[in-house]
C-alpha cells in the first residue's frame, strides 16, 4: 500500500498521503531492528546489480548508503543490546526514509526513459532531498549511547561526513539528452522535420529504444502522465501532447509496422488488448463522467459551462432554454435570479477539456461563442504537436495506400487514434486524403481492419467539413454495409453512430434514408443491440425522422415498430418518444403508430415515469397522434387509463412546452364530448388556466422535441 501511494505521488510530483508513511508502532526494539534489516536487505539485493538508464550516479550512491545502514542494523540485531529511546525514534524515522528510497529507486528503474529525461531535474532533487534527510538523521542519532563496533562506527561516521557534503547532482549526459529531446520538438514548432539519422541516433543509440514495441510503451507511459497531470507541473499537458505526437511519428518513421504486425494477429483476427490507460476501449466500459462536469438540468457533459447570478453552473444551452421558458429562478437552488446574465465558467471548461483529452472523448465546444474563442493552453494541441501529427498522418496514409494488409490495418488504427480529439487533427487527416483509403477498408474481410476504419470514419465525421468529404467520396453505401453486415458488434455500432453524425446535415437525411437497408439495419440495432448500440441507433433514427419525406420510408422499414418497442427501455425511451412525435405528424406515420398495440400505453408510461424531457416528448407524440391519426386514434388516446391525472400533473409541474402540449391535448378532448364527460369532467379549471398560453399549434414542431444529441465515440 505504501509503495503504491508513494510511487503514484512521485509520478505526479505531489506530496504523498500520510498513509504512505506510517512507521511501525508498539514494537519492541528487537522487532523494529529486525524489520529494518529485512527492508534494508531487500533494497540492497534488489538494486545493487540493477541497471539504471538514467540517474545512474544518484541511484548507485543511494544504494551504497543503504548498504552501510544494513551493516549498522545487522550489528544492532546481532548484539541484542537495549537501545535508548532516542535511538528508537531515529530508527522509526529511518524506516520511513528507507521506504522512500525504495520507491524512488523503483521509479527510476521502471519508468519510461523519455519521462525520466523530462523529469531529470525534479528526480535529481528527490535524491538530494533524501541525502539531506540522511544527513539530518545521522546528526541526531545518539552514536555515543549505542554500543557499536569500531569498524561499524567508522563506516557510519564516514557516511555522516559524506552526507553533510552532498550537493545536488544533475548528470550532464542526462541533461544533454533532455535538451536534445526538447530541441526536436522545437524543430517541429518551427515547421521543420528533424533529420531521420539524428532521430535514429537519439532513440536507438542514445536511449536504447530499438523496436516498435519499446517505442509504443514509451508513448503509453507519457499518455498516462497526461491523465495524471496537475496544472502546476512541468511540462504542461500541451508540451506532453507534443512529445507524444513526436514520439509516435518516430515510432513509424524509424521502426515501421513489423512489430505490430506480429502482435496484431492478422491471420486469426484476434485483437490484443492495449495496456495504456489512454487507449482502453471506452465503448466496452462506459466512462463515468465526473458529477461536477454534468449540467444539473440536462445531466449531460457540459459543452459550454456558464455561471448564473446565484453562483451555480449550468450548460449554456440548458440554462438559456430554462430562461426562455419564462423561469426566473435558479433551477438548482430555487432562488430568484436578479438578472439573466451568464458568465462563462472558463476554469471548469478547461477542466472538462482536459478530462476529455485524457480519455479520448471528442469535445468540440461551440464555435460561435465568446468562450470557445479562447484556447486552453494546458490541453489544446501545440504547434509542434500538430506538425508532428501531420507528419505522422502522411506516413500512415502512405501505408493505407500501398502497404500490406497488416500495415493498412495498423495505419487505420493509428488514424482512428489521431482523429479521436481535436478538429485540427480531423481536418488535416481528411485533407491529406485518408477518407478514400478508409472507405476501401470498410469492405475488408478482416474484422480488425473494418472496425478501425469505420471508427476512424466516425471520428473524422465529427468535424463538420468532413461530412461532405465522406458523402462526396461515396462512402455512404460502404458505411451502411458495415451497419448491416459488419464483422463485429463494435463495427456495426460505430457505423450507426457515423450515420447519426452525417445526418446532422439536413441535405443528407434523405440520402441516408434512401440507402438500401439503412433504416432496416438501424431498426434492428435498436431492437437487438447493446445499450450503446441502441443509443446510436435511436439517435440516428431521430435525426432521420426530422426530414418529413422520410416518414413513409421509416414505416416501410419497420422503424416505427422498433421505436414503439424502445419506449420500454429506459436508456433510449426519451429519444424514441421524440422520434415518434415527429413521425406521427404525417398521416402515414400516425396510421402506423396507431396500429401498434403498445404505442399509447408506452407513451402514457413515459408521462408517468420518464424524465422531464421524456414526458414532454410523450405528451407531444400523443397530441400529434390525435391530430393526424383520426377519430380512432383519438379514441384510443382518450381511453388510456390514468391519462387524466398525468395530464393534470403536467399542466402544473411540466416544462413550459410540456404544459403547452398538455393544454392542447386537453382541448382536443373537450371537442370529444363523450370522452370529456367520461374522463375529464373535473379538469376544466386546470385546462383553462394552462390553455391561455397555448393558442395555436406550433409551426415548427421539431424544435419542441427535446432529445440529447450525444454519441459514444469509442477509442482504442
Amino acid at each position: 500500500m505504501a509503495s503504491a501511494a508513494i510511487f503514484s505521488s512521485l509520478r505526479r510530483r505531489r506530496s504523498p498521503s500520510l498513509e504512505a508513511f506510517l512507521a511501525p508502532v508498539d514494537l519492541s526494539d528487537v522487532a523494529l531492528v529486525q524489520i529494518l534489516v529485512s527492508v534494508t536487505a531487500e533494497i540492497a539485493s534488489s538494486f545493487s546489480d540493477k541497471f539504471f538508464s538514467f540517474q545512474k550516479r544518484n541511484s548507485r550512491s543511494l544504494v551504497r548508503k543503504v548498504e552501510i545502514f544494513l551493516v549498522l542494523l545487522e550489528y544492532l540485531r546481532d548484539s541484542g543490546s537495549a537501545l535508548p529511546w532516542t535511538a528508537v525514534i531515529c530508527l522509526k524515522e529511518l524506516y520511513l526514509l528507507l521506504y522512500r528510497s525504495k520507491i524512488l529507486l523503483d521509479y527510476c528503474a521502471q519508468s519510461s526513459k523519455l519521462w525520466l529525461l523530462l523529469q531529470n531535474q525534479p528526480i535529481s532533487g528527490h535524491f538530494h532531498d533524501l541525502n539531506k534527510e540522511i544527513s539530518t538523521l545521522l546528526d541526531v542519532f545518539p552514536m555515543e549511547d549505542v554500543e557499536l563496533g569500531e569498524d561499524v562506527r567508522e563506516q557510519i561516521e564516514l557516511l555522516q561526513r559524506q552526507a553533510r557534503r552532498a550537493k545536488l547532482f544533475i548528470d550532464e549526459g542526462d541533461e544533454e539528452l533532455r535538451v536534445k529531446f526538447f530541441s526536436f520538438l522545437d524543430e517541429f514548432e518551427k515547421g521543420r522535420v528533424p533529420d531521420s539519422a539524428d532521430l535514429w541516433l537519439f532513440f536507438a543509440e542514445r536511449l536504447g529504444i530499438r523496436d516498435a514495441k519499446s517505442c509504443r510503451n514509451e508513448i503509453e507511459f507519457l499518455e498516462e502522465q497526461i491523465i495524471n497531470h496537475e496544472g502546476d507541473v512541468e511540462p504542461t499537458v500541451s508540451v506532453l501532447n507534443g512529445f507524444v505526437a513526436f514520439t509516435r511519428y518516430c515510432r513509424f518513421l524509424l521502426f515501421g509496422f513489423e512489430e505490430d504486425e506480429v502482435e496484431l494477429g492478422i491471420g486469426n483476427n484476434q485483437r490484443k488488448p492495449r495496456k495504456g490507460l489512454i487507449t482502453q476501449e471506452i465503448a466496452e466500459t462506459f466512462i463515468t463522467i465526473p458529477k461536477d462536469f454534468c449540467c444539473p438540468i440536462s445531466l449531460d457533459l457540459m459543452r459550454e459551462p456558464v455561471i448564473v447570478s446565484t453562483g451555480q453552473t449550468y450548460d449554456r444551452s440548458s440554462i438559456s432554454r430554462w430562461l426562455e421558458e419564462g423561469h426566473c429562478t435558479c433551477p438548482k437552488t430555487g432562488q430568484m435570479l436578479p438578472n439573466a446574465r451568464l458568465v462563462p465558467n472558463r476554469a471548469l471548461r478547461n477542466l472538462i477539456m482536459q478530462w476529455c483529452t485524457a480519455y479520448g472523448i471528442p469535445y468540440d465546444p461551440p464555435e460561435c461563442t465568446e468562450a470557445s474563442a479562447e484556447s486552453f493552453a494546458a490541453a489544446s494541441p501545440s504547434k509542434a504537436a500538430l506538425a508532428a501529427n501531420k507528419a505522422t498522418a502522411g506516413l500512415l496514409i502512405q501505408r493505407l495506400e500501398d502497404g500490406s494488409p497488416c500495415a493498412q490495418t495498423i495505419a487505420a488504427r493509428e488514424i482512428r487514434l489521431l482523429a479521436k480529439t481535436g478538429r485540427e487533427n480531423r481536418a488535416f487527416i481528411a485533407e491529406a486524403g485518408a477518407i478514400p483509403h478508409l472507405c476501401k477498408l470498410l469492405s475488408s474481410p478482416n474484422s480488425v481492419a473494418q472496425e478501425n476504419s469505420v471508427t476512424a470514419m466516425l471520428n473524422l465525421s465529427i468535424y463538420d467539413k468532413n461530412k461532405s468529404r465522406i458523402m462526396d467520396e461515396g462512402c455512404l453505401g460502404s458505411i451502411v454495409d458495415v451497419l448491416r453486415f459488419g464483422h463485429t458488434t463494435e463495427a456495426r455500432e460505430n457505423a450507426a453512430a457515423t450515420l447519426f453524425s452525417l445526418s446532422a446535415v439536413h441535405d443528407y437525411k434523405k440520402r441516408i434514408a434512401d440507402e438500401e437497408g439503412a433504416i432496416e439495419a438501424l431498426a434492428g440495432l435498436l431492437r437487438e443491440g447493446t445499450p450503446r448500440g441502441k443509443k446510436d441507433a435511436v439517435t440516428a433514427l431521430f435525426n432521420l425522422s426530422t426530414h418529413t419525406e422520410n416518414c413513409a420510408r421509416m414505416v416501410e422499414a419497420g422503424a416505427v415498430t422498433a421505436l414503439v418497442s424502445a419506449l420500454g427501455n429506459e436508456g433510449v425511451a426519451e429519444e424514441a418518444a421524440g422520434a415518434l412525435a415527429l413521425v406521427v405528424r404525417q398521416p402515414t406515420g400516425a396510421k402506423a403508430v396507431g396500429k401498434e398495440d403498445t404505442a399509447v400505453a408506452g407513451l402514457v408510461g413515459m408521462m408517468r415515469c420518464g424524465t422531464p424531457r421524456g414526458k414532454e416528448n410523450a405528451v407531444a407524440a400523443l397530441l400529434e397522434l390525435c391530430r393526424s391519426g383520426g377519430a380512432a386514434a383519438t379514441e384510443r388516446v382518450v381511453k388510456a387509463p390514468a391519462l387524466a391525472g398525468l395530464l393534470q400533473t403536467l399542466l402544473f409541474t411540466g416544462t413550459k412546452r410540456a404544459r403547452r402540449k398538455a393544454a392542447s391535448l386537453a382541448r382536443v378532448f373537450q371537442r370529444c364530448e363523450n370522452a370529456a364527460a367520461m374522463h375529464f369532467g373535473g379538469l376544466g379549471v386546470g385546462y383553462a388556466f394552462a390553455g391561455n398560453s397555448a393558442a395555436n399549434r406550433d409551426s415548427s414542431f421539431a424544435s419542441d422535441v427535446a432529445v440529447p444529441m450525444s454519441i459514444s465515440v469509442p477509442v482504442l
Side-chain angles (χ1 to χ4, degrees), residues 57-89:
R57 178 169 161 180
N58 282 328
S59 299
R60 295 300 175 207
S61 176
L62 181 58
V63 172
R64 284 194 294 270
K65 292 180 175 67
V66 171
E67 289 173 341
I68 294 175
F69 276 119
L70 179 59
V71 173
L72 168 65
L73 293 167
E74 287 179 336
Y75 184 90
L76 294 176
R77 179 196 62 187
D78 296 340
S79 68
S81 302
L83 297 174
W85 66 271
T86 52
V88 173
I89 292 176

Side-chain angles (χ1 to χ4, degrees), residues 289-306:
I289 301 174
K291 183 179 180 181
D292 291 339
F293 293 174
C294 296
C295 175
I297 298 175
S298 67
L299 302 181
D300 293 331
L301 181 68
M302 287 187 277
R303 287 166 48 85
E304 192 180 0
V306 293

